[in-house]
Amino acid sequence: MNHRGTRVLRLDALARVEGEAALHLRVEGDTVVETRLRIYEPPRFFEAFLTGRGHTEPPDITARICGICPVAYQMSACQAIENASGVTVDGPLAELRRLLYCGEWIESHTLHIYLLHAPDFLGRADVVELARDQRAAVERGLRLKQAGNAIVQQLGGRPIHPVNVRIGGFYRTPSPDELRPLAERLRQARDDALETVRWVAAFDFPDAVCDHDLFALRHPGRYAVDIGTPVVMAAADHGRAPHPIPLTDFEQHVREEQVPHSTALTATLDGRRYLTGPLARYAINGQWLHPVAAEVAGEAGLGDPATGAICDNPFRSIVVRAIEVVQAVEEALRIIDGYEPPPRPAVDVPPRRGVGVGATEAPRGLLYHRYALTEDGTLTEARIVPPTAQNQTAIEEDVRRAVQARLDRPGPAADDEELTRLCERAIRNHDPCISCSAHFLDVTVERS
Amino acid sequence: MVIGVGNPLRGDDGVGPAAVEAMRGRVPDGTVLAVSDGEPARMLDLWRGADTVVVVEALRARPSRPGELHTLTAADAAARTAGTASTHALGLGECLALAEALDQLPPSLVVHAMEVADVELGARLSEAVRSALPGLVDRVAASVRQAYERNHER
C-alpha cells in the first residue's frame, strides 16, 4: 500500500451512510444539563426530489432512502398513493406484501442484534471480535439474516432496493413452487430465531427505565407490521388501552420542528416526548403475538404481554427485537403455507387529484408518508416522517439519564471515552437510522 | 465474480456499480457481475462458492487525490476499517475481517478501489472520478482475465 507520506486511507461505508450523528453533551459540575443529538437524514432531500414526479414513482425512489429498510419506505409510499387514488389492496397481494415486510424485519433486526448490538453486552469492540470467540453465534446470526434476505430477494426481485414492488402490488407474483424453498429455509430460521431470544435474554442488562409515551400502529387481532391505526399509550397509562389518532390527523398531533443543531426535525406528539419502535409495538401489540413468540417472550422474562406486561428498559429492546424476529418468521411461514396466487400481480391505481397518507411499522418504528397529487398523477407535495426523527427527543432523554446515572455513581469519575461508549450504547438501543458501526459517534463533552 | 460495492445515489460512491456496469459484455462466460451495498451478510452470501472475487469500491483518503487507483489484498482491506466513521452499515474492511474470522473469505479476492471526492446525496460522479473510470475498469478486466486463464490452465 503506498502511503506516500502520512495520508490516511479509509475503506469505509461513509458513502453508504444513511445519516451521520454527533452528540453534544454539556455537564455542569456533576449534572448533565444538555444532550443534543445532531443527525443528518436524507428524507428532506427525497421530499424535494419527489415533487414533480409521477404517482407511480415513490416506491422506487423512496426505497433508496435507506439501504436497511427499503421495503418499509416502499410499503408506506404504496399505501399513501393508493389512499390518494381511493384503491385498497387486499387478499393475496396484501399477504405477499406482509411476507416481504417480514423478510425485512428479519434482516434488519438480525443485523442489529448480532452485528451491532450484541457486542455491547458481551464486552467486545465489534462483531469481528465477537466472531473470533463466539463463532457459532455469529454464524447463526448471519444464517438467520440470510433467510430474511432470501424473502426480500424472492419477492423484491433483487437483494437491494427491491424492484418488483409497484403501486397496486407487484410486477410479478411468485408461484407456490417458488415459495416452497423459502418455507424450508424459514423452518431452519425458526430454530435460529428461538435460539437468538435465549441467547440475548441471558445478557447482563444495565438498569434503566424509559417513561416515554409509546406510539405504534394497532390492528386488533394481528401484530402490526403493514397495516393499522396509529395509537398512543401515554406514559402514565402503560399497560392500559391506548387512544387512536386517525392517520389523516397525524400531522396535527406529530409536530416536527427544525432544531438548530440538526438537519433532522425533532418530533413531539401532542407536545410530549414519545417513542416508536419495538418497545412501543410490543406494549401495544404484544397480546397478538404468535403463540410461539409469546411463549418465548415469557421464557425471556418479559412477562405476559396478554396481561399488559410491557418492557420499559431500553437496553432490553434487544430481547424485544429477537421476539419480533420469531414473530416475523412465524408470520412468513403462515403466509407461505396459505398462499394462493392472486389473479393479477397488481390492481390498477389510476391517478386522481387528492391527498393520500400511509403508515407502516418499519423495523425502527412508525414510518409516515403523505403525497398530494394532481389529476394526472403529478406529485405536488411529499412528506415523509421517519421513525428516527420521531425518536430523537426520547433518545436524547435516554442518553441524559444514562450519563447522569453514571455521574451519580460513587467511585472514580468517568472520562470522556467512557461517557462516549455509554452514549453510543444508549443510542444504539433504539437502532436509529444513523451510524451503527461499532464506534460511530462524535461526542463533545463540555464540562464546567 | 465481480462485485461493485456502493450507492449510485451518493455521488462518487457509485463508482463501484458504475465500473460493473461498464464491464457488461466485456467478461468471459461464467463471470458473475453483481452490485451490492456491501452489507456483510449479503456479501458473504453473494460470494459463497465463488473461487475468485474482484471487489470494486470507493475509497476515501486524507488528503484526497480523487481518481487515484489502489489495488488491495483482502488483508490490506481488512486492516482499513472505518474506525470512527458513522454509518448505518459496516464497511468493506469490517466485512472482510468478519469473513476472515469465520473462514468465509473466497480462495482469491482482490479489491480495486478508487479515491473519491464527493459523496453528496443525489450528486453524479465527479469529473475526477469519471475520467479515471476507464483505468479502474481496465484493472478489473485484467483481474477477471487472469482468473479466467488460471482456471483454464487447471
Side-chain angles (χ1 to χ4, degrees):
Chain A
M1 190 73 214
N2 51 350
H3 272 289
R4 295 203 210 154
T6 55
R7 292 205 310 145
V8 181
L9 296 177
R10 294 211 323 225
L11 256 181
D12 61 35
L14 173 89
R16 277 171 291 291
V17 135
E18 251 70 48
E20 288 132 78
L23 180 77
H24 188 88
L25 197 63
R26 202 147 61 85
V27 180
E28 285 178 7
D30 42 21
T31 306
V32 185
V33 291
E34 190 174 28
T35 50
R36 284 197 337 236
L37 183 61
R38 187 168 55 76
I39 305 176
Y40 169 78
E41 279 190 308
R44 301 287 86 83
F45 161 85
F46 280 87
E47 286 174 348
F49 191 67
L50 281 160
T51 307
R53 299 288 187 132
H55 78 303
T56 60
E57 294 186 84
D60 282 336
I61 293 173
T62 61
R64 296 178 170 274
I65 291 179
C66 174
I68 306 286
C69 49
V71 173
Y73 279 95
Q74 291 186 314
M75 294 297 130
S76 286
C78 286
Q79 250 190 43
I81 298 288
E82 287 154 13
N83 176 250
S85 299
V87 171
T88 305
V89 174
D90 52 15
L93 285 176
E95 289 284 276
L96 277 181
R97 282 181 166 181
R98 193 170 168 91
L99 174 60
L100 174 63
Y101 220 142
C102 286
E104 180 160 283
W105 271 34
I106 296 167
E107 266 199 73
S108 172
H109 277 349
T110 306
L111 175 81
H112 190 260
I113 291 167
Y114 281 90
L115 274 70
L116 305 165
H117 209 186
D120 279 347
F121 293 96
L122 299 167
R124 300 291 180 274
D126 57 28
V127 67
V128 178
E129 212 176 89
L130 185 63
R132 291 197 181 111
D133 60 12
Q134 287 214 30
R135 182 169 167 162
V138 175
E139 284 173 342
R140 179 179 63 228
L142 290 171
R143 199 167 51 230
L144 184 53
K145 180 174 190 301
Q146 284 157 354
N149 292 0
I151 298 177
V152 174
Q153 186 157 354
Q154 172 68 51
L155 286 173
R158 65 175 189 194
I160 46 172
H161 305 317
V163 287
N164 189 32
V165 172
R166 49 165 299 184
I167 54 170
F170 296 88
Y171 288 101
R172 183 186 167 278
T173 48
S175 68
D177 280 352
E178 286 175 309
L179 292 186
R180 212 155 290 137
L182 281 184
E184 279 155 36
R185 210 164 168 170
L186 285 163
R187 278 184 258 280
Q188 159 82 56
R190 178 196 275 149
D191 294 341
D192 287 337
L194 289 168
E195 200 47 49
T196 301
V197 177
R198 295 179 187 120
W199 184 59
V200 300
F203 290 173
D204 192 6
F205 298 102
D207 286 330
V209 172
C210 60
D211 58 358
H212 319 298
D213 288 0
L214 301 176
F215 189 49
L217 294 183
R218 184 170 182 269
H219 189 80
R222 347 173 41 165
Y223 198 90
V225 178
D226 53 329
I227 46 168
T229 302
V231 299
V232 190
M233 190 185 273
D237 304 328
H238 279 181
R240 289 196 226 126
H243 70 272
I245 286 181
L247 199 53
T248 43
D249 300 344
F250 180 94
E251 289 168 72
Q252 279 129 55
H253 294 269
V254 171
R255 306 307 294 253
E256 288 194 295
E257 292 172 324
Q258 181 94 39
V259 277
H261 56 266
S262 175
T263 57
L265 297 166
T266 305
T268 51
L269 176 60
D270 292 333
R272 293 161 56 90
R273 168 169 40 89
Y274 74 104
L275 181 71
T276 178
L279 294 181
R281 275 195 299 261
Y282 189 79
I284 287 165
N285 292 280
Q287 59 191 301
W288 298 302
L289 279 172
H290 186 280
V292 172
E295 189 184 344
V296 77
E299 275 177 47
L302 285 184
D304 181 0
T307 62
I310 70 159
C311 172
D312 62 1
N313 179 339
F315 288 95
R316 293 179 72 95
S317 65
I318 192 170
V319 182
V320 178
R321 271 183 207 97
I323 286 160
E324 286 194 334
V325 173
V326 174
Q327 174 70 19
V329 169
E330 292 291 356
E331 269 292 281
L333 278 167
R334 178 191 65 75
I335 292 166
I336 293 173
D337 289 345
Y339 178 60
E340 297 275 345
R344 287 185 305 147
V347 297
D348 275 344
V349 184
R352 190 169 91 168
R353 172 181 288 280
V355 174
V357 288
T360 63
E361 285 287 348
R364 282 149 200 79
L366 194 144
L367 170 63
Y368 166 88
H369 287 221
R370 172 174 55 84
Y371 298 106
L373 274 59
T374 61
E375 56 270 17
D376 71 350
T378 307
L379 300 173
T380 54
E381 199 183 355
R383 189 86 188 83
I384 295 169
V385 185
T388 294
Q390 299 186 69
N391 285 343
Q392 179 165 339
T393 317
I395 294 172
E396 287 173 343
E397 175 61 12
D398 279 8
V399 168
R400 189 193 67 76
R401 289 183 186 198
V403 173
Q404 191 60 57
R406 174 62 187 87
L407 297 179
D408 292 344
R409 209 184 318 147
D415 62 14
D416 289 4
E417 192 180 341
E418 186 191 341
L419 291 184
T420 298
R421 295 289 90 86
L422 183 62
C423 294
E424 284 185 349
R425 288 194 66 180
I427 294 171
R428 205 164 7 238
N429 285 338
H430 297 293
D431 185 15
C433 198
I434 47 170
S435 57
C436 300
S437 68
H439 306 300
F440 61 86
L441 198 57
D442 181 10
V443 178
T444 325
V445 185
E446 193 186 328
R447 296 174 189 260
S448 56
Chain B
M1 165 176 276
V2 182
I3 307 174
V5 176
N7 180 352
L9 265 192
R10 287 200 76 122
D12 286 348
D13 190 43
V15 69
V20 164
E21 220 35 63
M23 296 290 298
R24 294 206 190 277
R26 292 186 49 178
V27 290
D29 283 350
T31 308
V32 178
L33 296 176
V35 168
S36 176
D37 60 353
E39 189 278 301
R42 263 196 274 274
M43 293 286 276
L44 269 52
D45 217 8
L46 201 53
W47 70 45
R48 184 168 297 135
D51 53 25
T52 307
V53 173
V54 181
V55 180
V56 202
E57 169 67 299
L59 181 143
R60 292 187 307 138
R62 287 202 193 125
S64 156
R65 285 200 280 271
E68 187 153 315
L69 302 179
H70 299 268
T71 294
L72 314 170
T73 64
D76 283 339
R80 287 173 203 291
T81 54
T84 56
S86 107
T87 99
H88 192 38
L90 298 146
L92 182 64
E94 285 90 348
C95 174
L96 294 172
L98 180 63
E100 184 189 25
L102 299 171
D103 293 327
Q104 291 190 36
L105 274 177
S108 156
L109 182 141
V110 65
V111 179
H112 293 298
M114 188 195 292
E115 285 188 41
V116 298
D118 177 16
V119 291
E120 283 304 299
L121 258 176
R124 289 202 303 242
L125 293 180
S126 64
E127 185 51 46
V129 166
R130 247 203 325 274
S131 53
L133 193 57
L136 178 67
V137 172
D138 286 345
R139 283 198 192 192
V140 175
S143 290
V144 171
R145 218 168 25 246
Q146 281 164 10
Y148 192 75
E149 284 160 6
R150 260 202 320 272
N151 286 349
H152 280 254
E153 283 165 11
R154 286 178 197 158

